[in-house]
């Protein structure tokens, strides 16, 4: 199976994970579609959004496929006044990843990671493996440890 940068980095750190693959539909890169294709509940699929704070700092916000990002909650968790989504055209330049394949691990630069507290109590979470058509399934605690992530309440 094709290795992704995310899989390689997790393996180097001895973090247990499963690499899942699915056929990509360029017209529908949604978490709902990914959940359907890999046959996991939407609540276990986590999407990665890239935010910019009012101080021009970049941050990964990782939220459940069932959630919409609450920008005020993200700003509060980051102790900043305001955050906004990074324009889609800037994703590759900032992270090295394209839409539908953005991962909070292995990006060009290390950004702080916020993880929705919706993950609490879940035995695993599934995130992009950094390439369309690939997802990584791992324990939330391992994800938080690896990324130095911060749990936040996305409400």
């Amino acid at each position: 199976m094709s290795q992704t940068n995310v899989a390689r980095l997790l393996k180097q750190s001895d973090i247990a994970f499963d690499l899942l693959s699915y056929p990509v539909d360029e017209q529908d890169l949604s978490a709902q579609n990914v959940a359907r294709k890999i046959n996991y509940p939407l609540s276990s699929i986590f999407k990665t959004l890239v935010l910019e704070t009012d101080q021009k700092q970049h941050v990964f916000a990782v939220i459940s496929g069932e959630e919409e990002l609450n920008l005020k909650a993200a700003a509060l968790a980051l102790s900043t006044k305001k955050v906004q989504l990074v324009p889609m055209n800037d994703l590759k330049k900032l992270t090295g990843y394209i839409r539908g394949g953005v991962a909070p691990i292995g990006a060009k630069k290390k950004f702080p990671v916020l993880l929705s507290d919706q993950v609490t109590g879940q035995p695993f979470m599934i995130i992009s493996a950094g390439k369309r058509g690939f997802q990584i399934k791992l324990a939330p605690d391992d994800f938080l440890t690896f990324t130095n992530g911060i749990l936040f309440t996305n409400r």
Side-chain angles (χ1 to χ4, degrees):
M1 183 168 284
S2 122
Q3 271 294 45
T4 70
N5 204 22
V6 176
R8 190 177 53 73
L9 291 167
L10 291 172
K11 195 175 203 161
Q12 281 172 357
S13 298
D14 288 326
I15 291 179
F17 67 91
D18 291 321
L19 185 62
L20 311 171
S21 65
Y22 61 95
V24 177
D25 176 354
E26 299 283 335
Q27 306 310 307
D28 186 357
L29 298 170
S30 70
Q32 290 85 345
N33 195 30
V34 171
R36 232 184 348 269
K37 290 189 174 191
I38 63 173
N39 205 18
Y40 279 93
L42 185 57
S43 60
S44 66
I45 309 293
F46 282 74
K47 51 193 177 185
T48 303
L49 305 170
V50 184
L51 308 177
E52 183 176 88
T53 69
D54 48 5
Q55 291 96 34
K56 301 290 179 223
Q57 181 192 22
H58 294 99
V59 179
F60 287 118
V62 181
I63 62 171
S64 156
E66 295 180 322
E67 296 177 277
E68 287 298 319
L69 181 65
N70 179 328
L71 293 172
K72 284 190 172 116
L76 186 67
L78 294 163
S79 304
T80 190
K81 284 185 176 68
K82 209 174 131 207
V83 296
Q84 63 186 17
L85 284 169
V86 164
M88 219 176 304
N89 295 343
D90 296 349
L91 286 177
K92 184 146 176 61
K93 183 178 71 192
L94 279 172
T95 67
Y97 295 129
I98 58 172
R99 179 176 170 257
V102 176
I105 295 170
K108 274 172 43 174
K109 294 189 183 113
K110 269 195 145 171
F111 299 141
V113 173
L114 290 179
L115 175 61
S116 167
D117 64 4
Q118 294 289 89
V119 79
T120 306
Q122 292 200 38
F124 61 86
M125 62 186 287
I126 298 171
I127 59 166
S128 172
K131 196 183 279 185
R132 286 179 180 171
F134 293 93
Q135 297 283 311
I136 294 275
K137 177 182 166 191
L138 76 168
D141 286 349
D142 288 343
F143 174 81
L144 283 168
T145 301
F146 188 85
T147 61
N148 289 316
I150 303 162
L151 276 181
F152 84 112
T153 303
N154 182 32
R155 296 186 268 299

